[in-house]
Amino acid sequence: MAEAFNTQTLAQDRAERYAQILQEIAAVLDGELNLTARMATVVSMLANSFEHYFWTGFYVVDPNKPEELVVGPYQGTLGCLRIAFGRGVCGAAALSGQTQLVEDVHAFPGHIACDGRSQSEIVVPVRDASGQLIAVFDVDSDQPAAFSAVDQAGLEAILAMVFAAD
Ligand code: SME
């Protein structure tokens, strides 16, 4: 009972933090149209808001190679530079257009281990206002099963607000 209460409280706290950070990001980015500035700000503000974030960053669709992602703004240890659509968790998110919530990265077929300490991961497709896929947003944790539907909803709302609003 106590444990169930605790889990619920943590989920509520996390949801509230996502709602708060959405407002903060909107305020900081007000009037700024540069895509790199927008991505770098999202990364910095989210990476500094949550303890379960270990590696936080964007892989951007390469305009010269539409089936390939190239690393964008990130915070964390060295990330691999390029990921083909369909490869690893980021590639699966890009190919399917669906958020990937991975409790155990070691059990995910083709997972790319940029840093061996990563245990779990969430990758959210990022679209512009026309619905075009422009990037994926990747967060890794050094804790197992660190991400939940709360992270998915929070991140999807922030990324839609920053990149898909007219
Ligand atoms: N984990 C990713 C690769 C990128 S890094 O973790 C920074 C994946 O398998 O898609």
Side-chain angles (χ1 to χ4, degrees):
M1 187 65 182
E3 199 176 309
F5 174 76
N6 211 10
T7 310
Q8 206 176 359
T9 309
L10 286 175
Q12 206 175 336
D13 288 351
R14 199 180 280 189
E16 279 167 17
R17 185 70 190 116
Y18 276 111
Q20 192 181 21
I21 197 83
L22 181 145
Q23 299 298 335
E24 292 170 11
I25 290 172
V28 171
L29 289 179
D30 187 31
E32 179 54 66
L33 299 178
N34 181 274
L35 202 54
T36 305
R38 294 177 80 78
M39 288 185 175
T41 300
V42 167
V43 168
S44 174
M45 292 182 74
L46 283 167
N48 286 290
S49 293
F50 294 108
E51 286 196 351
H52 63 302
Y53 282 38
F54 171 70
W55 193 98
T56 311
F58 287 90
Y59 279 92
V60 180
V61 178
D62 186 337
N64 302 315
K65 291 187 180 174
E67 291 289 298
E68 199 165 287
L69 300 164
V70 59
V71 78
Y74 70 93
Q75 292 202 4
T77 52
L78 181 67
C80 57
L81 296 189
R82 288 182 176 270
I83 300 175
F85 277 34
R87 243 194 103 214
V89 187
C90 291
L95 190 65
S96 67
Q98 305 286 320
T99 294
Q100 306 291 306
L101 201 49
V102 181
E103 292 195 347
D104 175 6
V105 293
H106 306 294
F108 192 93
H111 167 251
I112 306 158
C114 293
D115 188 312
R117 287 170 291 180
S118 287
Q119 301 287 334
S120 58
E121 174 165 3
I122 184 168
V123 182
V124 183
V126 180
R127 299 180 186 284
D128 66 13
S130 72
Q132 177 88 16
L133 183 79
I134 56 168
V136 300
F137 184 67
D138 177 12
V139 190
D140 295 0
S141 181
D142 56 1
Q143 302 155 29
F147 304 101
S148 67
V150 172
D151 297 275
Q152 178 170 354
L155 289 175
E156 287 177 354
I158 289 171
L159 294 164
M161 184 270 295
V162 175
F163 299 102
D166 285 319

